[in-house]
Structure formats: structure tokens, C-alpha cells
Amino acid sequence: LSGGKPKRPNVIKSLCLLLGPDFCTDIITIETADHARLQLQLSYNWHFEIVDKSDKKDAAKLFSVPDFVGDACKAIASRVRGAVAGVQFDDFHKNSARIIRTSVFGLDENQKVRNRFEFPANNLVITSIDIQSVEPVDQRTRDALQKSVQLAIEITTNSQEASARHEAERLEQEAKGRLERQKIMDEAEAERARKELLE
């Protein structure tokens, strides 16, 4: 069976085939539409689904694929690479989980992401994908991503500062307005009192 990260053939020698549920982890390199190369570490939950354990033909399907781990990881990696190749880096950065899950599981008739990916040749079922890490491969992309994150933090900070300053100025204007109104009302009251005193 394939093993290691990234998956390499003939790493695991096994005498038995466990039905799962279990998981495997793989590292794949992808490239976005704007040529940003990223390394993804993905973990897949899987199990073999046997409907009728007494059916020998159904049970024999388990052994029909010699390296089910390698085949599953290659199929998933191919789907992910295909989906990501048509997406810009910024879009992938914001929606990576949705893009990856949609590419692997597909959409149902209601445009919702399915909850399983089946391999009918050996009844293997992938039930979930966990995106453990997304890292740029080349230094230029890594620097651009770091700059983008710093810029986003700076923009958010400046926005919050401007909002706080605007709120403080508004409160100060309201206070000045109330003070002016009170001053005018006091002067009017004093003028009225003076008038009454003169009469």
C-alpha cells in the first residue's frame, strides 16, 4: 500500500485489510489560475462499505484494487488540482475549504456539497476531508501572502481607528450642541427674568 506524506507506492506491507473507519493524510502541490503554487496537507476519513457480508462477490471487491490508499489519494489530488487550477489565488485563499470539498464530493441536485465520495470498484467511501495546512511553495508567494495579511490587518486597524475617531467627534459635537442650547435657554431665562424685574 502507499504510505508516507506525500504518498509513495509500496511503503506499507500489510497482511490484513481493515474495513475502517480510518483516515489517511496526504500532501499535494497545487497551482492556482494565477500560478501561485501551494502545498496542501489533507486528511481523509474513509471506510469500506459492505452491504451484505455473506455475499462473496461483494466481499471480493475489497481486494480488487491492490493499492486502495494510493488510488484514492491520486483520485482526490487530481480532482483538487483540477478545481484549483481554475481559481485565482485570492478566491482560493478565502474559500479553500468550500472549493476543495466541492471538487472532491461534488454537488447534489440542490447545489449542496455531497457528504461522500465512493469508489465502486472496491466499495471504498471517503466521508470527510480535513484541510490541515495550506502553505505557499515558493518564497515570492509566501512573501506576497504575508504582505497581504499585514495589509489586511493594517486596513482593519485604520478603519477601527477612523470609526472610533468619528464616534468621538460626533459625541463631542452633540455635547457642544447641548451646551450651546443650554446656554441660549439660560440667557433667554435670564432675559425673561430681567424683563419681569423691570416691569
Side-chain angles (χ1 to χ4, degrees):
L1 296 176
S2 292
K5 293 181 220 165
K7 294 290 179 247
R8 295 181 323 277
N10 304 318
V11 172
I12 299 171
K13 308 283 188 219
S14 180
L15 216 53
C16 64
L17 180 64
L18 301 176
L19 299 179
D22 203 349
F23 71 95
C24 65
T25 303
D26 195 13
I27 295 175
I28 61 172
T29 302
I30 58 168
E31 189 169 329
T32 61
D34 49 357
H35 306 293
R37 295 186 69 222
L38 304 168
Q39 191 172 54
L40 304 180
Q41 181 166 326
L42 305 174
S43 182
Y44 321 116
N45 287 348
W46 61 266
H47 68 272
F48 286 104
E49 193 163 84
I50 311 294
V51 179
D52 183 9
K53 292 185 180 180
S54 63
D55 182 5
K56 291 186 187 261
K57 187 177 178 185
D58 205 28
K61 281 175 113 179
L62 294 175
F63 301 99
S64 65
V65 178
D67 182 10
F68 75 91
V69 173
D71 285 1
C73 287
K74 283 179 198 168
I76 292 170
S78 173
R79 285 176 169 230
V80 171
R81 280 190 196 100
V84 173
V87 175
Q88 297 291 322
F89 173 75
D90 284 338
D91 190 30
F92 179 76
H93 185 63
K94 292 174 190 160
N95 306 305
S96 59
R98 183 182 51 78
I99 292 168
I100 290 171
R101 286 192 175 96
T102 302
S103 70
V104 174
F105 295 123
L107 298 173
D108 63 13
E109 58 278 348
N110 298 326
Q111 298 302 308
K112 298 219 186 248
V113 178
R114 291 189 178 105
N115 59 1
R116 54 195 286 140
F117 175 37
E118 299 176 21
F119 293 87
N122 62 348
N123 294 332
L124 177 67
V125 179
I126 306 294
T127 54
S128 71
I129 294 180
D130 180 31
I131 298 120
Q132 295 178 329
S133 69
V134 178
E135 295 179 8
V137 172
D138 50 316
Q139 189 62 40
R140 193 176 44 132
T141 308
R142 189 175 285 129
D143 293 343
L145 180 61
Q146 180 110 17
K147 187 176 177 183
S148 172
V149 168
Q150 287 174 340
L151 191 61
I153 291 170
E154 191 176 314
I155 288 169
T156 303
T157 303
N158 290 343
S159 171
Q160 288 174 344
E161 285 176 358
S163 179
R165 189 170 42 253
H166 178 70
E167 183 64 18
E169 288 172 0
R170 186 183 67 76
L171 291 173
E172 185 181 348
Q173 287 295 327
E174 281 181 10
K176 280 182 180 177
R178 281 195 302 271
L179 189 63
E180 284 294 319
R181 194 172 336 137
Q182 189 63 44
K183 190 175 173 186
I184 291 170
M185 288 171 62
D186 288 348
E187 286 175 1
E189 189 62 39
E191 188 63 36
R192 194 176 310 120
R194 196 175 313 126
K195 217 179 210 181
E196 286 177 8
L197 198 65
L198 288 176
E199 290 175 354

